[in-house]
Amino acid sequence: MAESVLTNTGLDRFLALLDGGPGHRDPAFLRAAEVVLGLLALRGADRASGLPAPEPRLVRQLLVEDLPAFVYVPPGELDAYPAVVAALAARFDGGLRERTAAAVEESAGDFARAMDDPGNLTWHRWYASLLRSVGTDLADPADVRRRIGALDGAPLPDGVLRADLTVRTALADTVLTEAVARAYVRDAEAPPPAGPLLTDHAVAAGVGPVAAALLDRWTAAGLAEQLAGPYARYAPGPDDFPHLALADALLDEHMDYYGDPGLPVPPPAETADRDPERAADLLLTAVEELAEEEYEPYGGEAPHLLYALYQRGCAADSVARRAAEYEDWSVDPALEDVPVAVPGGVTGPYVVPPVPELVRLLGTAGIDEADRARLEGPARDLAVAVDRLAATGLVFRSGDAFGLTPHGAATVRYLLRVRRVAAPTAAEAAAWPARDLLAAAAQWPREPAARVLAGRLHARGGTAGAWTELLDAFGPAHAHAPDPAAVRDLFGLLDTASAPPGALRAALDSPVIGARALHALEVRGEAADPLRVPVAARALHVLDRLPAKKGPLESRRAAFDAAAAAWPGGSAALLRAMTEADPRGTARVLGPLGLHT
């Protein structure tokens, strides 16, 4: 039992104290008891009574962190682990039993999800499950050794990457090894009455072998030796994935943009998945080469360029526009994410677009030939960096336009997912609940947001039910959005000309988009009752039509005064209605005019 690796866990005493019922003699219960008592003791549970005390904090860590990291649990045996914790807690008084029961109940859902989450798999847990599926006796190292060869080429679960298992395995190994080391030091500094958990003999060769022995007991006997030796190719380590360095750089970019890996980037319109690991290594080589001095000043910007292209929904960008931004030129924010047309068959050295095209790209009047000449050097330097990336076949440049190829989009998406960044496909995003999709799309550039919203409606046949489901979600998405105006703006991306009129009429009652739905019906010449539109929706419609993003404040004040003149109760009533419907947006737009409630 556990004493062959960990000593004095209290396992024998625990089993002796049980009532001997059939459930307590079940092999699954006995295995769970070994694991639970061993992990609690390893994590520092008080063993003064001879049993490790299941303190609630340690119990939650056991259920939600440790078991999903270190232990393979066969199907149907999951309930044995909370049962062992409950039986152990019953051996204690002083309220520990009740507090432990509450901790188990609170953690039950997270425990089940964590154990079932493919994102928590390690190589050891995965191969233990495969070995069991082919009838292996997981307690017999000879049987493990005999059968493991048959698993060559076994596919991973859907959506799981080899790099995912590699990263998770390395983390689990580190955490378990550190826990073993701390347990040994802890017992050496303050010898417990129950005796040491690890003997000097056990750690004579180091704590690493002890951790490997524990993994063998908790997954499959002899598996660690096989995966470290003759079958090492089955479980590649971090050194086999050099592109993780590029994945880290892209994660940093995502954090700069969104601040949270769980906030999704927009999906590309098209991808071509072909051996993303090899493509990622190829891209890393190009990025590392660009970081060399000869590619200054923009070579070091390669990770940013790749992420920025993906964050646009993989729509093409302009070399000149991007270079102008790097040079701190004034670029109209409304144009930063606008896709660039990709000309066909344009080859040869980079040429800066003519002045009229620069004016269109930058949204800046007054550009002349002297400005174009000033931009030529930076734009050509940036084009050199883009062309080096394009040599991989994952990026393209055609004239001034550049972007990710479908294979490049798939590769960047793979790199983002390796670091657990939410990077959905278009189909995945379209399948989200409507509220979640609106919350995400509100933070995306307009083109991919419009594409994914249209894809969601198309996937559901464009029916009245599909439209109603989406329009009804504007209210809750708006209520929880950091920028409610961005949620409202999504209505303007919908092709309301194709919407069933019944769905738009139902939206008239919305305090967020009611006025927009009324306008859409009026444009179509459809009958609609304006009296159904709530005051809040009408106030928001006025707020959103004020010239807020550019132009002199005088024009904004004039537009507000004109709207207030037609509003019942005048400017004070309009301002109050706006503030109640969107306090932050109202303060942002009308605060500079000195208007406050």
Side-chain angles (χ1 to χ4, degrees):
M1 299 298 285
E3 271 70 10
S4 64
V5 180
L6 301 176
T7 62
N8 302 309
T9 65
L11 178 62
D12 292 338
R13 181 164 185 261
F14 171 67
L15 295 176
L17 289 170
L18 297 179
D19 59 14
H24 295 161
R25 293 195 298 268
D26 182 79
F29 184 90
L30 295 177
R31 180 174 184 269
E34 173 188 342
V35 173
V36 168
L37 271 67
L39 275 170
L40 288 174
L42 198 61
R43 287 301 196 179
D46 185 352
R47 293 184 286 133
S49 70
L51 298 176
E55 289 290 345
R57 175 185 62 82
L58 293 177
V59 166
R60 178 164 181 82
Q61 182 178 33
L62 167 82
L63 295 175
V64 180
E65 298 178 26
D66 289 346
L67 289 172
F70 310 134
V71 183
Y72 167 64
V73 180
E77 297 185 9
L78 207 60
D79 291 344
Y81 291 82
V84 168
V85 174
L88 178 62
R91 305 297 111 194
F92 292 84
D93 53 19
L96 181 60
R97 179 190 309 188
E98 291 75 16
R99 290 188 288 114
T100 301
V104 171
E105 183 177 359
E106 292 171 1
S107 304
D110 291 337
F111 170 53
R113 282 189 293 272
M115 292 301 294
D116 194 47
D117 183 358
N120 284 334
L121 282 176
T122 63
W123 286 121
H124 299 84
R125 290 184 67 218
W126 173 237
Y127 279 110
S129 70
L130 292 178
L131 285 164
R132 186 181 183 278
S133 71
V134 296
T136 309
D137 180 355
L138 299 184
D140 182 353
D143 200 26
V144 169
R145 184 169 57 252
R146 182 168 56 252
R147 293 179 183 266
I148 192 170
L151 303 180
D152 195 8
L156 295 176
D158 289 343
V160 176
L161 307 170
R162 294 201 320 150
D164 290 337
L165 269 72
T166 294
V167 171
R168 178 69 178 170
T169 300
L171 176 61
D173 287 348
T174 299
V175 170
L176 184 56
T177 300
E178 289 178 350
V180 170
R182 282 196 297 270
Y184 181 73
V185 171
R186 184 172 57 243
D187 285 358
E189 292 178 344
L197 193 62
L198 293 156
T199 65
D200 292 338
H201 175 73
V203 297
V207 294
V210 176
L214 288 171
L215 285 177
D216 272 3
R217 296 196 65 79
W218 296 340
T219 56
L223 179 59
E225 180 182 357
Q226 297 302 314
L227 294 183
Y231 293 97
R233 70 183 188 281
Y234 281 18
D239 290 344
D240 297 301
F241 295 88
H243 55 256
L244 290 176
L246 181 54
D248 287 335
L250 293 176
L251 172 60
D252 290 342
E253 292 290 336
H254 182 80
M255 297 302 290
D256 286 344
Y257 270 72
Y258 293 101
D260 181 351
L263 294 177
V265 283
E270 181 184 7
T271 60
D273 291 302
R274 299 193 306 271
D275 194 3
E277 292 178 9
R278 181 177 180 279
D281 287 340
L282 187 66
L283 196 55
L284 173 67
T285 299
V287 169
E288 289 178 336
E289 181 180 317
L290 282 169
E292 297 173 2
E293 186 175 350
E294 63 182 291
Y295 287 100
E296 288 293 337
Y298 300 118
E301 295 294 327
H304 175 71
L305 287 173
L306 293 168
Y307 180 85
L309 286 170
Y310 196 93
Q311 193 273 338
R312 295 164 55 84
C314 297
D317 201 354
S318 158
V319 171
R321 185 165 65 197
R322 183 65 61 175
E325 291 176 343
Y326 280 132
E327 296 299 304
D328 293 326
W329 284 32
S330 177
V331 177
D332 185 348
L335 297 177
E336 290 176 349
D337 295 319
V338 173
V340 175
V342 181
V346 178
T347 60
Y350 177 79
V351 177
V352 180
V355 168
E357 178 65 5
L358 286 179
V359 172
R360 189 189 71 81
L361 287 170
L362 307 182
T364 305
I367 294 178
D368 56 22
E369 286 295 341
D371 295 317
R372 179 178 180 272
R374 192 157 51 89
L375 187 61
E376 186 171 6
R380 284 185 174 174
D381 287 341
L382 181 57
V384 169
V386 169
D387 288 347
R388 175 62 190 92
L389 293 173
T392 64
L394 305 172
V395 173
F396 71 86
R397 181 179 70 81
S398 182
D400 182 57
F402 75 105
L404 293 168
T405 65
H407 193 194
T411 302
V412 174
R413 177 173 170 268
Y414 160 79
L415 288 165
L416 291 169
R417 286 198 162 188
V418 162
R419 286 311 187 205
R420 310 303 287 273
V421 173
T425 64
E428 288 169 345
W432 288 342
R435 172 181 164 176
D436 294 346
L437 178 57
L438 291 176
Q443 302 183 71
W444 295 344
R446 292 175 62 86
E447 189 275 335
R451 169 167 44 81
V452 175
L453 291 172
R456 188 182 202 280
L457 292 168
H458 177 75
R460 290 160 175 75
T463 63
W467 274 90
T468 298
E469 183 182 25
L470 184 60
L471 296 179
D472 283 350
F474 272 84
H478 184 270
H480 297 90
D483 182 5
V487 174
R488 300 193 297 272
D489 286 346
L490 294 175
F491 186 91
L493 303 182
L494 301 175
D495 179 17
T496 53
S498 66
L504 290 176
R505 289 196 189 97
L508 292 173
D509 300 317
S510 167
V512 175
I513 58 170
R516 291 176 179 258
L518 175 65
H519 179 71
L521 287 165
E522 291 173 343
V523 168
R524 290 167 38 148
E526 301 277 357
D529 182 5
L531 296 180
R532 288 176 52 187
V533 178
V535 170
R538 291 190 287 115
L540 289 174
H541 198 43
V542 172
L543 175 65
D544 293 339
R545 298 173 76 177
L546 295 177
K549 293 187 178 180
K550 60 181 180 179
L553 291 179
E554 291 80 3
S555 65
R556 192 182 309 177
R557 181 61 195 245
F560 174 79
D561 289 343
W567 189 269
S571 60
L574 175 57
L575 180 59
R576 184 167 55 253
M578 288 178 171
T579 302
E580 291 176 354
D582 182 359
R584 285 172 292 180
T586 301
R588 183 174 63 247
V589 175
L590 298 182
L593 302 179
L595 296 173
H596 306 280
T597 54

